[in-house]
Every structure is written in C-alpha cells, then in structure tokens.
Amino acid sequence: MKENFDFLMPSVNFFGSGVIAKIGDRAKMVNMSKVLIVTDKFLEKMENGPVEQTLRSLDQAGVDYVIYNGVEPNPKVRNIQEAKQVYLDNDCDGIITIGGGSAHDAGKGTGIILTNGDDITKLAGIEMLENALPPLIAVNTTAGTASELTRHCVITNEETHLKFVVVSWRNVPLVSFNDPKLMLGVPPALTAATGMDTFVQAIEPYVSTNRNDITDGQCLQAIKLVEESLREAVSNGENLEARTKMVEAEMLGGMAFNNADLGYVHAMAHQLGGQYDAPHGVCCAILLPIVERFNLVACPDRFADLAVAMGENINGLSIRAAADKAIDAMQQLNNDVGIPRSIKDLGADPKDFELMAENALKDGNAFSNPRKATKQQIVELFQQAYDAK
C-alpha cells in the first residue's frame, strides 16, 4: 500500500438523470466556442439519443460544433488522426466525447496528438505528455470503462495489432457527465460486457500494490453495487434504479483504478483486444477468475474481503477458503450475465500467446499486480482461458 499518493479525477462531475442538459453552459464556461464532437455513427443517428441531446444543449448555449463520427470499438490510430484533421480544418478549440470508453479514448488520443506530436505510439507509458490537451468534456453512455474520469488513453495500433496505453494526468477530462437515462437503451450483451469491466476495475485496484485506504473504500462499495444491480440491468435494461447504481459503481471503480492502478487482467485483456479486436469488457471478464486465482496466494486476506463484498457467507471459514469463495463468485457473475467461458470464442489462437504474454508484461497495468509472473506463467494463464469450458 502506498503511504504517499496523489488522487486524480475530473474537477467537475455531473451525475444523475437529466444532467446532460447542463453541458452547453459548462462548455461555454470553459471557453469552448467551437467543439469537435467525437462519437460513433450509431449514437449520432439515435433519435433523441446522447448526441442529439448534447447538440440541443450546445445550440441553446450558443456553442458551435462539428462532428467526427468515425470512432471504432478498440479505437485505432487512424481514428485519432482523422479526428485531428477535422479539428484543425474547422478551427476547433475544444473536444467533447460522447459514448463509452472507445469514444473517450479516441477523444483523448486526438487531444494528445494535437499538442504532443503526431506519433502517439511514441507516447505510450506513464506521464510521457509534456503539453496540456485542448479542453476536454466527456459524456458517458455506458457503465463500463470509466474513461470519462481517468488518466488512461487506450489506443490500438492497427498495423501491429498492439493495444497500448498513454497514462497521464493531462488526459483527465475537465468535466464528466454521467446521466443514467442515456444508458436505458444499451442492449443486454453490451450492458454485460461494460458492467463486467466496471466489476474488474473495482477488483484489481483492491489487490493492487498501489492501493490506499481511499481507493479500498471505493472498490468495496463499487463491488456491492455491481452485485446488487448488474444482473437486473442486463435482464431489464429499462430499470433506471439498476442503471443508476451501475453508473455509481463505474464512477467509484474509475476513481479507484485511476489512483491505485490495475493488474494482469487488464494487461492481458489489452493483448486480446489488440490482436483480435475483441470487446474489452468480455476479455476482462473471461480472464478475471483465472488471473485472480493466480493472484490469490499473494494476498488471500484481500480476497476474503472481496468475498464479503460480493455477498458470500464466510463464517467459520479459513482465510484461504474464504478467498476461494471470491473467485467462485466472480465466475458465477460471469455465468449469470452471459459472458463466454473461453477466449477461444473471441478468436484467440494459442500460437499468439508467446508474443501476447511478452507484451502483457510490458503493459503499464502489469506493474501493480500483486503477484509477479514470468512470461511462461502468463502464457499458461492465456492457455487456461482458452481451454476453459
């Protein structure tokens, strides 16, 4: 546990039903006069969806805008280069991202190459950015990655299939918006995938070597909220209370991992996402029980705490037996919300595991994992995730 630490989050976070109406005034307040909207085609076309509601508020506030709608899942280098050109061609002075993690990462990546050099691959790592990004506001539409709150920007190099992370305090948006009403239309499979990402982002910081007492409390509350609400949000997506609790969990988990960092689940999931263009939340969910069973011996007392947070009865059990219940509960939640058991379902190929393991150990998330692994051990974890039935 760190004794001395900084704590990063956006300076202003709007939360609750209907808060999207405030975005125009807030954009004006941070001196945006013409903004680049970074989003995808689906959200742009959605009737009375998050893009339409954002534009309505901007119009009322007299803030001009132009839209880049080319964001792809696991955003690529080409996406941010295209968005940068739109920004420059239209003399923009700020960026508003609308969507889930892909939109927010694409917007951050666009800001990075606008002010820190065109080759973002050279900026991968921790605190590599020398210059501030243009003003950035993030409108979140999924209870998932928490990228609207964090210093992480995850981009895929489409040429090498390598997913890399630019971690910097300069990436933290000035303002975030989390309006649960914007999430009522999210389909069950996407709700499950993003919800499990939220869950993983509460588990990993709790066992991270960079944890602290503040992030511990955030993690445990986030886990309780996911346990209470994710199954309902998946089975009944119009339940506003379940959606609201999932947003609360996502924000808590985001604040936690933004400051306590993550671990091998994310380091390995980035390789699956980069190599096979697989959904990030699903990658994380499949790997979670396998990687955490590997980690368990490093801090069984922490896993016993997680079992309690997940609602497991550990009365009369040894610390180790209680910790095992936490791993079982992780798999049960995966099963209940329809997550595949094997990375084979994502198109994984064992011939790639050596390279993926090598890159996972270089990923910025690997350094705070509670148990250190060799390359061969990471290969074996990928193989377990492949063989799972």
Side-chain angles (χ1 to χ4, degrees):
M1 180 187 293
K2 279 189 172 181
E3 293 184 4
N4 300 303
F5 56 90
D6 52 359
F7 195 89
L8 300 172
M9 60 184 294
S11 58
V12 180
N13 300 270
F14 287 98
F15 173 84
S17 298
V19 293
I20 191 61
K22 300 177 185 289
I23 191 169
D25 288 340
R26 185 57 57 165
K28 203 169 185 178
M29 196 178 296
V30 297
N31 299 315
M32 291 180 172
S33 60
K34 185 164 188 178
V35 299
L36 173 68
I37 305 288
V38 177
T39 190
D40 61 48
K41 293 179 178 65
F42 175 79
L43 291 178
E44 184 189 16
K45 292 178 181 177
M46 185 182 293
E47 186 175 351
N48 198 36
V51 174
E52 187 176 317
Q53 292 185 49
T54 298
L55 300 186
R56 190 183 305 141
S57 181
L58 292 173
D59 285 337
Q60 290 171 353
V63 178
D64 199 5
Y65 50 82
V66 62
I67 298 175
Y68 172 73
N69 66 4
V71 174
E72 302 174 59
N74 299 310
K76 315 299 189 289
V77 171
R78 63 172 173 262
N79 298 150
I80 64 173
Q81 290 172 337
E82 291 167 357
K84 174 187 175 181
Q85 196 59 51
V86 176
Y87 185 101
L88 293 174
D89 288 347
N90 290 274
D91 296 320
C92 295
D93 56 14
I95 299 171
I96 296 178
T97 59
I98 305 175
S102 295
H104 306 318
D105 284 349
K108 291 175 185 178
T110 302
I112 289 169
I113 62 173
L114 278 164
T115 58
N116 287 272
D118 197 54
D119 188 354
I120 194 171
T121 64
K122 294 180 179 178
L123 299 169
I126 299 174
E127 298 304 344
M128 300 288 286
L129 304 184
E130 295 183 358
N131 303 312
L133 277 60
L136 176 63
I137 294 177
V139 178
N140 196 37
T141 64
T142 64
T145 68
S147 184
E148 81 281 5
L149 300 170
T150 72
R151 60 185 176 138
H152 297 72
C153 171
V154 186
I155 301 294
T156 298
N157 184 336
E158 60 269 38
E159 295 181 1
T160 63
H161 302 289
L162 181 63
K163 204 170 188 179
F164 60 92
V165 189
V166 181
V167 182
S168 174
W169 68 275
R170 298 186 184 279
N171 286 332
V172 180
L174 293 176
V175 187
S176 76
F177 282 81
N178 268 294
D179 186 336
K181 281 188 175 179
L182 300 181
M183 305 177 189
L184 293 178
V186 176
L190 182 57
T191 299
T194 55
M196 287 305 300
D197 193 18
T198 289
F199 188 60
V200 174
Q201 288 167 178
I203 299 285
E204 287 203 284
Y206 193 75
V207 298
S208 163
T209 56
N210 290 334
R211 65 185 184 268
N212 60 67
D213 288 340
I214 296 173
T215 58
D216 279 356
Q218 292 169 326
C219 290
L220 294 176
Q221 181 62 15
I223 290 163
K224 291 175 184 177
L225 287 165
V226 171
E227 279 288 341
E228 291 172 10
S229 56
L230 180 56
R231 293 173 178 87
E232 175 63 20
V234 171
S235 58
N236 179 12
E238 297 301 311
N239 185 321
L240 185 59
E241 181 181 1
R243 293 291 190 187
T244 300
K245 286 184 176 180
M246 282 304 302
V247 176
E248 292 171 347
E250 189 245 22
M251 292 181 71
L252 287 166
M255 286 185 278
F257 91 78
N258 202 32
N259 295 281
D261 301 316
L262 294 161
Y264 286 161
V265 176
H266 270 77
M268 294 171 64
H270 285 162
Q271 311 318 311
L272 289 170
Q275 190 70 30
Y276 310 112
D277 208 17
H280 174 69
V282 176
C283 296
C284 286
I286 295 173
L287 290 168
L288 177 66
I290 292 165
V291 173
E292 299 308 351
R293 194 173 294 282
F294 171 83
N295 285 336
L296 187 149
V297 294
C299 49
D301 56 325
R302 307 292 289 182
F303 283 96
D305 293 344
L306 293 175
V308 175
M310 285 184 270
E312 297 295 312
N313 182 359
I314 66 168
N315 290 338
L317 297 180
S318 66
I319 294 291
R320 176 56 195 258
D324 283 335
K325 287 184 81 73
I327 309 300
D328 293 341
M330 293 172 196
Q331 185 60 60
Q332 187 61 56
L333 183 56
N334 271 349
N335 297 346
D336 290 348
V337 299
I339 298 295
R341 272 308 273 265
S342 170
I343 60 173
K344 187 186 300 185
D345 297 319
L346 305 178
D349 188 333
K351 71 177 174 54
D352 299 323
F353 292 171
E354 288 275 338
L355 178 60
M356 289 163 58
E358 185 177 323
N359 288 328
L361 289 172
K362 296 176 183 175
D363 188 282
N365 294 292
F367 301 103
S368 48
N369 197 73
R371 181 182 175 188
K372 301 310 172 190
T374 63
K375 175 182 168 182
Q376 186 55 40
Q377 286 173 316
I378 299 295
V379 169
E380 290 168 2
L381 291 174
F382 275 126
Q383 190 65 50
Q384 287 179 38
Y386 183 86
D387 294 333
K389 293 183 173 60

